[in-house]
Amino acid sequence: GENVEQHPSTLSVQEGDSAVIKCTYSDSASNYFPWYKQELGKRPQLIIDIRSNVGEKKDQRIAVTLNKTAKHFSLHITETQPEDSAVYFCAASIRGSQGNLIFGKGTKLSVKP
Amino acid sequence: DAGVTQSPTHLIKTRGQQVTLRCSPKSGHDTVSWYQQALGQGPQFIFQYYEEEERQRGNFPDRFSGHQFPNYSSELNVNALLLGDSALYLCASSLAGSVNEQYFGPGTRLTVT
């Protein structure tokens, strides 16, 4: 079945460094790839997304890249800050779905001051 | 502009009981999807409702059922609760049509004892 693998499961960086989280997906029909940030006890919040007709998208310190041929996409956070500490989930749209998503298992990012 | 709301916040039930969770979508949205998030895992898609009908379903047993009302709000019902049903239940709203971003509610934490 469809699958999304996410690495690493935990990531610790110093404040100001960059963080990169990588995901691979199995369904070649997936065409929408969002990233969610979930702080402890809170809802997942959409932070950036990319569609299959685009290779890269940036929003201030956050960027996402997509390689459709290799079926992988990555989240890049530059100049990390302590408030970036959270669990990050990648997701991919399910084949033939109207927006429903299959999620990775998450990456716990810790930014040390 | 109201975001996605869910009730109740927390719920404790006993094995074998039944539970109903509620969700109101973000203003202007007409589609509601339900996800189950076990501790330390990414959300898993349960089903989606649009025009008061279940449009898609993930790999969940028939004990999980739902409903959507004319005002687009939705309910998730779980019968014959098992210990393994303990999780955070998230509702996400979106616009119908092609793949669109989903906005999550704060979730209902269900504990089955």
Side-chain angles (χ1 to χ4, degrees), chain B residues 1-45:
Chain B
D1 182 19
V4 182
T5 60
Q6 290 186 246
S7 63
T9 306
H10 296 89
L11 206 49
I12 300 175
K13 290 286 188 178
T14 304
R15 272 181 301 175
Q17 286 188 317
Q18 179 264 345
V19 68
T20 298
L21 312 180
R22 295 176 177 82
C23 170
S24 291
K26 180 179 166 67
S27 177
H29 284 182
D30 56 10
T31 301
V32 173
S33 300
W34 286 91
Y35 291 82
Q36 180 194 66
Q37 186 176 24
L39 204 59
Q41 301 293 317
Q44 278 198 295
F45 172 64

Side-chain angles (χ1 to χ4, degrees), chain B residues 72-91:
Chain B
Y72 308 121
S73 66
S74 176
E75 288 182 350
L76 164 67
N77 300 294
V78 187
N79 294 324
L81 285 167
L82 303 174
L83 294 179
D85 295 332
S86 295
L88 180 67
Y89 287 85
L90 294 162
C91 157

Side-chain angles (χ1 to χ4, degrees), chain B residues 22-67:
Chain B
R22 295 176 177 82
C23 170
S24 291
K26 180 179 166 67
S27 177
H29 284 182
D30 56 10
T31 301
V32 173
S33 300
W34 286 91
Y35 291 82
Q36 180 194 66
Q37 186 176 24
L39 204 59
Q41 301 293 317
Q44 278 198 295
F45 172 64
I46 303 174
F47 44 52
Q48 182 189 71
Y49 276 85
Y50 170 66
E51 291 189 338
E52 302 179 49
E53 290 194 356
E54 182 183 292
R55 185 160 69 170
Q56 261 198 327
R57 189 178 185 93
N59 189 24
F60 278 80
D62 291 345
R63 298 187 297 109
F64 289 77
S65 63
H67 189 77

Side-chain angles (χ1 to χ4, degrees), chain A residues 47-98:
Chain A
I47 57 171
I48 195 167
D49 57 15
I50 192 167
R51 299 184 187 272
S52 56
N53 58 347
V54 176
E56 184 176 2
K57 183 176 178 181
K58 287 184 180 180
D59 182 4
Q60 300 184 337
R61 297 185 297 108
I62 294 174
V64 57
T65 59
L66 171 65
N67 182 327
K68 281 198 69 181
T69 303
K71 293 188 201 167
H72 67 70
F73 56 115
S74 301
L75 177 72
H76 305 253
I77 306 174
T78 58
E79 300 171 21
T80 54
Q81 301 166 3
E83 51 266 37
D84 294 329
S85 297
V87 179
Y88 291 80
F89 292 98
C90 63
S93 58
I94 299 170
R95 179 192 295 269
S97 79
Q98 285 78 32

